[in-house]
Amino acid sequence: MNKTIPIEDALKRVHLPIESANGLPNSCYVEHSAFERDRDCVFAPGWISIGFGSDVPANWAVPVELMGYPLLITRDKNNTLRVFHNVCSHRGMQLVTEPGKLGTGLIRCKYHSWTYNFSGDLIGTPSLGGPDINQHKDFNPEINGLKPVRTEVWLDNIFINLDNTAEPFENFLSPLMQHWSKWVTADALKEFKPATTHGKLELVVNCNWKLAIENFLEAYHLPWVHPGLNTYSPLSQHYDIKRGENFSGQGSSSYSSPSGADGSLSSWPEDQMKYAEYPVLYPNTLLGLQSDHFFTMTILPISETESLERVQLMFLGEVAEDNKYDAHRKSVLEGWREVFAEDIFAVEGMQQGRRSPAYQGGVFSPVMDQHTLHFHQWIATRIARDL
Ligand code: FES
Ligand SMILES: [Fe+2]
């Protein structure tokens, strides 16, 4: 049995050339302190997807939890979407516990009835200055509103930056958009709309969030884990996407649109219709770009050994919304559900294997695992800052 290597030394091994590198050590996948370190060093400084705009109709407030932090997504009657910390400024009551429409347009704390509007302003403080006296000269409501979280919405994905230190969102996105400029412009991508039916699926997987990312990054497992997919999109037709600073992934050159709906993005070149790409925007946003539809899978870590995968499909024009395409949307969603479900035993098996003291981060195929190592190095760089 091997002795556990100190984390500092283990992280140095992650940065070795791929022929001699080891992956992140087991502790990064099984310990609660590592989960909290991921939250503080990887998620808080980054652009993190936490859900979909379609989850939040106008006048709704939807609570979400990110690695133990209670957050609140609101959309006002003018369609402006905001994210706040889901906590009352008074005595720290969690404000909203269930998603729902707030017909009054107000968020009221159930404890002492302080009230906030959808912009986060504190607009009601009943009896704050004594019975039936709602103000006090020494209390300034203007500095006691909800605490906002930096938020951007792209392709209906809600991205947040918790600690306010991330680069501008356009900079975060631009390496991927440059890479995709061979097929699409930012404007053309806006032709995709969330599917109104059969547009979402969720899977809870018993693994650390990083294993779900790593599995998505490589096509190596295709012949054994996805034998059906491998018949029409075989491993030999997959290629590596050039790694950017904050993304990597794989592409296929044998994609074929599911029958049932015509149409493709207006900017997509005719001779490239068989191409599709599946990058990860680090750390937790998995994307699938095809000429006729798009998906996002957001990985939300629940604990060090449990993660929620949330998927939203988008289609073009009436294919996204019209009843006559309901069966088409269903068949595309069920196709992806089958593929994603096939991966569950693999990511859960890797989690189980990480209980073994004989495993010290493992080794990599110099050819097939380059993205996995790239992701490990990206993580190792961030968590090393906290050691
Ligand atoms: S804790 Fe919310 S009003 Fe007192
Ligand atoms: Fe897979």
Side-chain angles (χ1 to χ4, degrees):
M1 195 170 81
N2 298 325
K3 219 170 134 229
T4 302
I5 302 164
I7 181 83
E8 291 84 354
D9 295 339
L11 295 186
K12 282 183 194 146
R13 292 189 185 193
V14 174
H15 288 290
L16 293 173
I18 194 164
E19 298 78 12
S20 43
N22 293 123
L24 295 165
N26 288 352
S27 62
C28 291
Y29 298 85
V30 301
E31 290 182 1
H32 187 63
S33 59
F35 176 80
E36 291 181 330
R37 189 175 57 208
D38 282 352
R39 181 188 65 199
D40 298 342
C41 300
V42 178
F43 278 66
W47 281 109
I48 308 304
S49 56
I50 58 164
F52 306 113
S54 62
D55 299 335
V56 192
N59 284 323
W60 275 54
V62 174
V64 290
E65 189 151 314
L66 179 65
M67 302 177 87
Y69 288 160
L71 301 173
L72 181 65
I73 311 172
T74 66
R75 190 192 291 277
D76 67 19
K77 61 181 190 313
N78 301 319
N79 242 352
T80 302
L81 187 142
R82 297 181 180 87
V83 179
F84 300 101
H85 289 277
N86 187 6
V87 62
C88 181
S89 300
H90 180 215
R91 302 310 309 141
M93 181 90 171
Q94 181 173 336
L95 277 171
V96 178
T97 53
E98 296 291 333
K101 183 172 184 175
L102 299 179
T104 56
L106 299 173
I107 302 159
R108 189 181 69 80
C109 179
K110 293 191 174 81
Y111 198 4
H112 310 96
S113 213
W114 286 22
T115 306
Y116 307 84
N117 64 21
F118 273 32
S119 302
D121 307 315
L122 176 59
I123 58 163
T125 51
S127 298
L128 172 112
D132 298 327
I133 304 169
N134 298 342
Q135 299 90 25
H136 188 277
K137 66 179 177 50
D138 294 330
F139 181 82
N140 181 0
E142 286 178 17
I143 58 171
N144 286 298
L146 298 182
K147 304 299 175 284
V149 178
R150 196 175 166 204
T151 303
E152 297 281 348
V153 180
W154 174 71
L155 282 179
D156 207 49
N157 298 304
I158 303 169
F159 284 88
I160 61 165
N161 168 226
L162 272 176
D163 75 357
N164 240 338
T165 64
E167 61 196 319
F169 187 73
E170 311 82 75
N171 297 12
F172 167 73
L173 207 54
S174 74
L176 178 64
M177 290 312 300
Q178 267 170 16
H179 172 74
W180 273 350
S181 63
K182 56 189 175 177
W183 297 332
V184 293
T185 60
D187 270 352
L189 272 180
K190 290 180 189 155
E191 294 167 23
F192 284 126
K193 304 285 179 217
T196 49
T197 60
H198 306 293
K200 289 196 180 126
L201 69 87
E202 290 190 0
L203 296 167
V204 174
V205 287
N206 292 313
C207 72
N208 186 275
W209 69 276
K210 295 188 285 298
L211 293 173
I213 305 295
E214 294 168 25
N215 177 65
F216 192 85
L217 282 171
E218 52 111 323
Y220 188 8
H221 64 274
L222 209 71
W224 305 284
V225 176
H226 307 294
L229 180 62
N230 195 54
T231 57
Y232 56 88
S233 181
L235 179 58
S236 58
Q237 305 280 312
H238 278 245
Y239 61 91
D240 280 354
I241 299 174
K242 187 171 169 292
R243 290 178 291 283
E245 153 60 14
N246 61 2
F247 78 93
S248 65
Q250 28 140 352
S252 168
S253 57
S254 60
Y255 173 73
S256 55
S257 310
S259 57
D262 295 326
S264 56
L265 274 181
S266 55
S267 62
W268 202 288
E270 270 301 318
D271 62 352
Q272 301 280 302
M273 291 296 172
K274 285 191 162 311
Y275 283 85
E277 289 192 351
Y278 305 95
V280 177
L281 264 175
Y282 296 168
N284 77 325
T285 308
L286 286 47
L287 304 172
L289 174 64
Q290 297 88 182
S291 59
D292 65 319
H293 76 282
F294 182 90
F295 71 75
T296 301
M297 179 190 279
T298 292
I299 308 289
L300 293 167
I302 298 169
S303 71
E304 54 275 24
T305 59
E306 199 178 12
S307 305
L308 172 64
E309 302 180 345
R310 294 199 66 214
V311 177
Q312 174 163 272
L313 289 185
M314 301 177 90
F315 294 92
L316 296 165
E318 61 178 4
V319 183
E321 295 168 351
D322 199 298
N323 278 348
K324 69 183 179 206
Y325 292 105
D326 187 73
H328 175 70
R329 293 191 292 266
K330 183 173 184 190
S331 98
V332 174
L333 183 70
E334 293 312 312
W336 283 119
R337 190 194 304 277
E338 188 179 329
V339 171
F340 298 144
E342 286 171 345
D343 284 312
I344 294 176
F345 90 94
V347 294
E348 293 188 346
M350 287 193 287
Q351 183 68 41
Q352 291 301 313
R354 273 162 180 72
R355 295 176 305 153
S356 170
Y359 189 77
Q360 302 275 354
V363 292
F364 298 95
S365 156
V367 177
M368 308 301 275
D369 291 327
Q370 294 191 14
H371 294 317
T372 313
L373 179 59
H374 182 258
F375 178 65
H376 279 224
Q377 291 173 341
W378 191 87
I379 294 286
T381 300
R382 276 148 188 81
I383 62 180
R385 292 173 188 156
D386 194 49
L387 298 175

